[in-house]
Amino acid sequence: MWIDPSQAVARALVTHGHADHARSGHGTVWATPETLAIMALRYGTEMGTPVPYGDGFEANGVKISFHPAGHVLGSAQILLEHAGERVIVTGDYKRRHDPTCAAFEPVACDVLITEATFGLPVFNHPPIEDEIRKLLDTRNAHPDGCVVVGAYALGKAQRVIAELRRAGYDAPVFIHGAMQKMCDLYEAHGVSLGELIPATGLAKGELRGGIVVAPPSALNDRWARRLPEPVTAMASGWMRVRQRARQRNVELPLVISDHADWNELTGTLLELRPSETWITHGRTDALGRWCELHQLKARALDLVGREDEDEG
Amino acid sequence: MQAFAALVDALVYTRSRDAKIRLIADYLRATPDPDRGWALAALAGTLNIATVKASAIRAMAEERFDPLLFRMSRDYVGDTAETVALMWPDQQTAKAPPSVAEIIDLLNATSRARAPSVLAELMDRLDADGRYALLKLATGGMRVGISARLAKTAFAQGFGLSVDDVEEVWHALRPPYAELFAWGEGRAERPNLADSAFFRPFMLAHPLDDGVVDLSEFAAEWKWDGIRIQIAATGTETRLFSRGGDEVTAAFPEIAATFTGIGVVDGELLVRGDVQGGEAASFNALQQRLGRKTVTAAMQAEYPVFVRLYDILFDGAEDMRGLGWTQRRDRLERFAAGLDPARFDLSALIEARDFDHLAELRGAAREAAIEGVMLKRRDAPYLAGRKVGLWYKWKREPLVADCVMMYAQRGSGKRSSYYSDYTFGCWGEDGTLLPVGKAYSGFSDTELKWLDRFVRTNTVARFGPVREVEKTLVLEVAFDAVHESKRHKSGIAMRFPRISRLRRDKPAEEADKVATLKAMIG
């Protein structure tokens, strides 16, 4: 039995629906009902056993249960219990408020296998309210153009839209065609996103003064030519570093991340105080160094099939 | 300070030149004196806070952060100031954010030793963007894609002036430019410049590339490989300026002391070499005199400098710049006749029958101090900057060698996620590779991506930010010259090396030998 295997296997536990964690072709999948729905949407019908948050089952004498990770809809930490020892695999997680998914639940454990995507002390994500305010200010300053926000189709896009609604923005949000089905799925799971209109096929005039949400790959693509004088925004934790934003031709960087930032990563370690920490993808070296400075036992776990900077 | 920080951030993300100009102009109009003057100086690169050096920022970081975590962060971000600004914890302080002027005053009033703690107190009063702007302001390197010219253009547009008029007075004024803003807002006359020796912008050349010119329209002279210099003398003071308008009088006191004319001339500063029979020596010799704030008598004797004159901008108080090159050359010859020939001579014209003949002369010239040929339109006035069709530089064909990549390092700024700085070597007598140079240009973006992947997949060792790679990739390196160097194990150093081709077809054993390069020393 594997957790988030990068190759097709007979029996897989999947933490969440992002492609580098949930790949297709496994024999049997255990995941939250939301994650299974996301996988079904992306890969067609999949064999799967839904495991709701808090529920568990036993396999090979190990008790396995799923707990909210706060990353995207359905994202889970996986707790493995055997002979009194508890191991948590966080998957990807964050501690900030997110109206589109269940909040991270700290689970006491002996071994913590944590992600470290933003495991450098330069990553301190600002409050999302500030970033949404920047987005709205820019939109208001460009009544004849539009703001196009690059956001990953699963999670980030819905979170940006939901936060816009929370900030009182009730105009329709224009979305790239590739996002429609995922937004529908979120709606079906009770995440209300307000009025969404596909941007594809609209005349430039209809998009003026609007906010368009599209996958990052569409920003510098032919697709973006249909937009009226777009200001290019990008919602990602990597936007914290100026030259990274410039490399992607971003004019309005929005530091919005679905991953824990440095303070969340280190804060979680201090809160849980596991007797051992294994650090997976991301900056294993820096978080490992921090553990050393704080006398927490830690080691790096190199995983294959995980490129850094592929999501954020 | 928040307004300035917002401007700096907006400039980082704005690509269009016009949009940058609008941002700066809006800021300059909306901001009171003296904040806007300091900001303008920071953007134009004329702000120099003597108490703060880059080392002050490192010192501040080392005191607060774990050195290992800081180094990892710095390697990732690619910029020390930004790294510190991002790592610095937000403070809950009652003190209001400082104004630009308050920052400048505090830093100017402190000592170099106290500067890190003064900076730290200011950091505590700012948010991440403010801290970034503060550190950039304090160290003077803004890196927001703004040239001095663009900053002046923005000022000119903001206040409805011509940028050439602004340029003309700019170098006579000092930050925070109160007179400039008073003039811009119509509260005062144009600043009076009589009796001050100040910098006038240089006229610059385009590369000729594969073009051909008619020698009846263009005059040809050698392009000397020294540093371009302007001498401005009023009779009461004489000042020397480098190409960017920085004053370098103190580094070359013998030039200022022996210049007896009144006016402004343009020329090349060179070192006289004994081995060259009193002719100009290579740039390598001149390098011994560069970057020094003051210079000893021994240095003056060992590396005697002189100026080879190209042009004249003012003869006495008379502005020559509107005249054609032929007339100016005539005035220059008369002007130079009155100067000490040991310190000042004329850049000779090249007598060529036609363009083909000139190409032949250029090909044959292997003198160390000759970089190529300059072509100047005979009827062209002396205009600031690089104007199309008037002056061309036609550099000598570069030398090339096949070298093997040995080490790679991440670049800075835009390139901070790429391994873009390469150290390469040639084969020594004993069959080992010896480093002969370092290059970080000459390749396309596509080639850079390929090189970056090569480095990542062929790393054999890591030393901090440096990766040692498998010695398998041959790089064809172009360079302008080779000279002896005691600092390098190979005994040589290249002038202006750049990657000219990736020789993925060539086995590393067939790369050049150090001895081949030594034979090119000229």
Side-chain angles (χ1 to χ4, degrees), chain B residues 22 133 137 150 179 216 219 418 443 463 466 476 497 502 511:
Chain B
R22 263 198 310 279
L137 191 70
L150 193 83
E179 312 95 306
S216 66
Y418 291 105
F443 35 80
F463 312 95
V466 178
E476 183 187 281
L502 308 185

Side-chain angles (χ1 to χ4, degrees), chain B residues 430-453:
Chain B
D430 58 353
T432 59
L433 274 175
L434 296 174
V436 295
K438 199 173 171 181
Y440 38 85
S441 66
F443 35 80
S444 66
D445 286 353
T446 319
E447 286 172 326
L448 173 59
K449 277 187 191 147
W450 188 90
L451 285 162
D452 180 63
R453 189 158 324 128

Side-chain angles (χ1 to χ4, degrees), chain B residues 139-437:
Chain B
T139 50
M142 296 303 292
R143 268 197 19 203
V144 285
I146 303 293
S147 64
R149 178 76 178 176
L150 193 83
K152 292 169 209 165
T153 306
F155 169 82
Q157 286 199 9
F159 295 95
L161 298 167
S162 114
V163 65
D164 287 335
D165 283 353
V166 173
E167 192 76 77
E168 191 64 32
V169 300
W170 177 267
H171 297 281
L173 304 175
R174 295 281 158 266
Y177 301 115
E179 312 95 306
L180 195 64
F181 285 97
W183 173 44
E185 288 179 337
R187 292 182 279 112
E189 290 297 304
R190 176 179 158 143
N192 180 13
L193 309 173
D195 265 346
S196 55
F198 63 92
F199 174 71
R200 271 68 166 199
F202 276 111
M203 181 158 178
L204 303 170
H206 279 283
L208 183 64
D209 294 327
D210 299 324
V212 170
V213 300
D214 181 345
L215 293 186
S216 66
E217 289 175 354
F218 281 83
E221 61 185 312
W222 297 117
K223 178 169 170 39
W224 298 98
D225 191 15
I227 60 165
R228 189 89 177 270
I229 198 151
Q230 182 178 97
I231 307 171
T234 59
T236 49
E237 68 171 336
T238 300
R239 296 167 71 186
L240 274 52
F241 301 97
S242 69
R243 220 188 81 162
D246 293 322
E247 189 175 349
V248 291
T249 317
F252 305 104
E254 65 267 54
I255 297 296
T258 51
F259 189 80
T260 48
I262 295 176
V264 180
V265 292
D266 172 354
E268 195 87 10
L269 190 100
L270 296 156
V271 164
R272 213 175 278 289
D274 281 341
V275 275
Q276 284 83 6
E279 254 302 324
S282 73
F283 188 80
N284 197 32
L286 180 57
Q287 233 156 10
Q288 311 299 325
R289 292 285 306 261
L290 296 179
R292 289 173 193 277
K293 287 212 181 71
T294 57
V295 60
T296 61
M299 289 293 296
Q300 292 183 35
E302 195 174 350
Y303 300 99
V305 288
F306 69 102
V307 176
R308 189 150 277 171
L309 299 169
Y310 290 138
D311 216 319
I312 185 163
L313 288 73
F314 281 81
D315 189 349
E318 193 188 343
D319 194 343
M320 303 276 102
R321 291 173 297 175
L323 302 178
W325 174 87
T326 309
Q327 289 161 284
R328 291 200 313 277
R329 176 77 192 185
D330 186 45
R331 293 290 287 261
L332 177 68
E333 287 177 10
R334 275 187 273 158
F335 188 92
L339 298 173
D340 176 359
R343 293 290 182 196
F344 306 93
D345 65 14
L346 273 172
S347 171
L349 301 181
I350 306 171
E351 300 302 334
R353 288 186 302 277
D354 51 27
F355 193 77
D356 287 342
H357 184 211
L358 180 65
E360 205 178 295
L361 293 171
R362 166 177 164 271
R366 276 293 165 207
E367 211 177 305
I370 289 179
E371 222 188 328
V373 167
M374 288 294 300
L375 293 157
K376 297 178 176 175
R377 221 188 136 82
R378 295 177 190 273
D379 59 4
Y382 192 98
L383 298 173
R386 213 171 251 121
K387 299 284 189 289
V388 177
L390 303 184
W391 282 14
Y392 292 108
K393 53 186 171 191
W394 191 23
K395 287 204 182 184
R396 279 204 308 218
E397 295 299 333
L399 302 164
V400 293
D402 286 330
C403 307
V404 182
M405 188 196 286
M406 300 178 71
Y407 305 95
Q409 193 168 356
R410 280 178 192 253
S412 319
K414 255 196 317 201
R415 283 201 184 151
S416 58
S417 67
Y418 291 105
Y419 285 90
S420 62
D421 299 5
Y422 313 108
T423 302
F424 43 81
C426 287
W427 298 106
E429 292 306 321
D430 58 353
T432 59
L433 274 175
L434 296 174
V436 295

